[in-house]
Amino acid sequence: MKKRWFIISFALFAVSVILAVVSIIYSKRKTENVPEFVFLYADNQSENYPTTLGDIQFAELVYKKTGGRIKIDVKCGAELGSEAEVINQMKFGGIAFARVSCTQLAERIPEMNVLNLPYLYDDSEHMWRVLEGEIGEDFLDKTGDYDLVGLSWYDAGARNFYSTEKPITCVEDIAGMNIRVQESAMMADMVSALGANPVEVVFSDVYSALEKGTVDGAENNWPSYVSMNHNKLAKYYTEDEHMRVPEMQVCSEVIWNMLDESDKKIIKECAKESADYERRVWNDRERKSKENAVNDGTEVIELTQEEKKKFRDAMSGVYEKYCGEYMDTIKKIIEY
Ligand code: GCU
């Protein structure tokens, strides 16, 4: 009788231990599946564009490295608004992360214009030396002036003019044209300096502005020109390479301050890792976009060094006007 009781008690004990273990595992799994933070990430480019692919990789890395505690929901195609609207919302933490063009940061942090100056870098390698060195680190920190935290740099290649009716083969050709520019005072001045009329249009509306004829042309890198279908309407693409505008992954400072030090470290590491990935995708996409556009009827106009110099000289006034106080940094960049 005693033995039987012993067996029954032992069996009950074993079952309760097993139930306890199962419920601990189950509740742990359950909490692991529920993120502590869910953040929004904004990009105005399309789903398959190199920057968006970089953003998605960033989100996946953060999710993995935080064991699912931080989930980042990437919204592309300007779903959360234009870049200007997104940056404004980030100031108050409405949007946590974004990939934005430096011209839009420069509208709020004027010193940022230094990095966007026309013909500042000799080529892509020169720009990357600058961005990856101490100057680049300093500029990431300058976003603090607008309550943002700069995380890493993305590539956006060189910007070039393109037109609908006639090719731009020299400075004289662009004079009198209505050219779409980003919401950027410096860009508008650069276009005016060429004798053209700058028309500010948000990125997502450029196609319809070209279609309606509100503008005779615009300017952008090869991947944007093709992914936004501008190549269907503006068949002349002039490789003047007037500027290289870097892009940045940023975090809202309001959100940043909610995170603990180890999560901040993970986020910075993932931002850098995704930036390397974006650059690799970028190089390939730039080449393919040009190939596709040419196969689809785009006429590429290459400029001689002499003609490029005329574009450069015409635009050079913006150095003093927008960045006169930062001439030391500019000199350092040029010699870097
Ligand atoms: C680039 C950049 C966009 C920007 C666009 C523009 O394509 O990646 O973020 O909005 O230029 O010309 O507005």
Side-chain angles (χ1 to χ4, degrees):
M1 184 71 177
K2 233 178 168 188
K3 199 175 165 200
R4 220 171 122 211
W5 267 114
F6 176 76
I7 292 170
I8 291 171
S9 326
F10 182 76
L12 282 173
F13 173 72
V15 167
S16 48
V17 167
I18 290 167
L19 282 176
V21 170
V22 167
S23 83
I24 287 169
I25 292 173
Y26 180 72
S27 70
K28 193 155 182 283
R29 283 238 179 102
K30 231 177 133 189
T31 46
E32 268 173 8
N33 283 339
V34 179
E36 212 173 302
F37 298 107
V38 179
F39 294 131
L40 287 175
Y41 188 125
D43 197 312
N44 69 349
Q45 295 285 5
S46 57
E47 209 171 343
N48 191 30
Y49 192 83
T51 60
T52 313
L53 297 176
D55 310 337
I56 292 168
Q57 205 210 51
F58 169 70
E60 285 171 0
L61 286 168
V62 172
Y63 189 76
K64 202 166 136 213
K65 290 193 184 176
T66 59
R69 280 185 308 101
I70 302 184
K71 188 169 185 292
I72 298 171
D73 199 359
V74 176
K75 303 281 186 196
C76 60
E79 193 183 327
L80 300 178
S82 69
E83 287 190 315
E85 288 162 348
V86 165
I87 295 171
N88 291 344
Q89 288 192 59
M90 290 181 84
K91 197 169 173 64
F92 306 101
I95 295 172
F97 296 95
R99 186 284 312 162
V100 289
S101 169
C102 269
T103 55
Q104 300 311 291
L105 293 173
E107 288 304 288
R108 288 148 190 89
I109 310 158
E111 195 174 348
M112 216 46 105
N113 266 323
V114 166
L115 298 179
N116 311 329
L117 284 166
Y119 297 103
L120 177 69
Y121 313 101
D122 295 336
D123 48 26
S124 168
E125 286 71 35
H126 181 194
M127 181 185 82
W128 280 106
R129 271 201 306 284
V130 172
L131 297 181
E132 291 191 322
E134 80 262 17
I135 302 177
E137 279 302 317
D138 279 357
F139 275 94
L140 285 179
D141 290 345
K142 289 190 201 304
T143 52
D145 294 356
Y146 198 76
D147 303 330
L148 295 171
V149 178
L151 300 174
S152 69
W153 301 103
Y154 271 12
D155 206 345
R159 296 180 78 99
N160 301 288
F161 287 108
Y162 42 90
S163 44
T164 49
E165 297 296 327
K166 60 172 189 137
I168 300 167
T169 61
C170 56
V171 174
E172 290 73 22
D173 283 342
I174 199 172
M177 283 189 184
N178 292 332
I179 298 289
R180 178 268 169 173
V181 289
Q182 280 183 284
E183 307 90 298
S184 153
M186 188 173 89
M187 270 197 168
D189 269 2
M190 284 165 55
V191 164
S192 301
L194 297 171
N197 312 311
V199 183
E200 286 193 11
V201 179
V202 288
F203 187 48
S204 46
D205 293 343
V206 180
Y207 182 90
S208 89
L210 288 165
E211 196 175 37
K212 286 189 197 131
T214 329
V215 295
D216 306 306
E219 50 81 57
N220 219 317
N221 51 49
W222 279 109
S224 297
Y225 169 67
V226 173
S227 75
M228 298 303 279
N229 289 322
H230 298 172
N231 64 315
K232 308 272 181 212
L233 303 167
K235 290 281 176 198
Y236 304 105
Y237 193 94
T238 304
E239 287 190 310
D240 61 285
E241 300 192 313
H242 53 271
M243 66 208 294
R244 288 182 184 274
V245 177
E247 313 209 319
M248 208 193 273
Q249 287 202 94
V250 283
C251 178
S252 154
E253 210 168 68
V254 177
I255 302 293
W256 190 251
N257 292 338
M258 285 164 48
L259 301 170
D260 63 32
E261 289 311 310
S262 61
D263 285 341
K264 287 180 185 170
K265 191 165 170 277
I266 290 177
I267 286 176
K268 282 217 164 170
E269 280 166 12
C270 298
K272 298 256 182 297
E273 207 175 318
S274 70
D276 292 342
Y277 171 71
E278 191 270 348
R279 264 173 81 183
R280 287 198 299 278
V281 177
W282 180 267
N283 290 334
D284 190 48
R285 185 64 61 86
E286 200 170 38
R287 191 178 42 78
K288 283 199 184 125
S289 302
K290 180 173 175 175
E291 240 169 63
N292 292 343
V294 170
N295 289 339
D296 204 13
T298 287
E299 185 183 318
V300 184
I301 296 105
E302 286 175 19
L303 298 180
T304 60
Q305 282 307 322
E306 212 180 310
E307 205 47 64
K308 251 190 192 173
K309 188 170 176 303
K310 288 188 190 156
F311 276 82
R312 183 186 190 135
D313 291 348
M315 295 178 184
S316 63
V318 299
Y319 274 62
E320 187 52 47
K321 180 166 177 192
Y322 289 89
C323 301
E325 348 165 18
Y326 314 116
M327 282 303 176
D328 289 347
T329 318
I330 295 172
K331 193 165 171 277
K332 222 166 135 190
I333 292 178
I334 291 171
E335 289 163 2
Y336 210 79

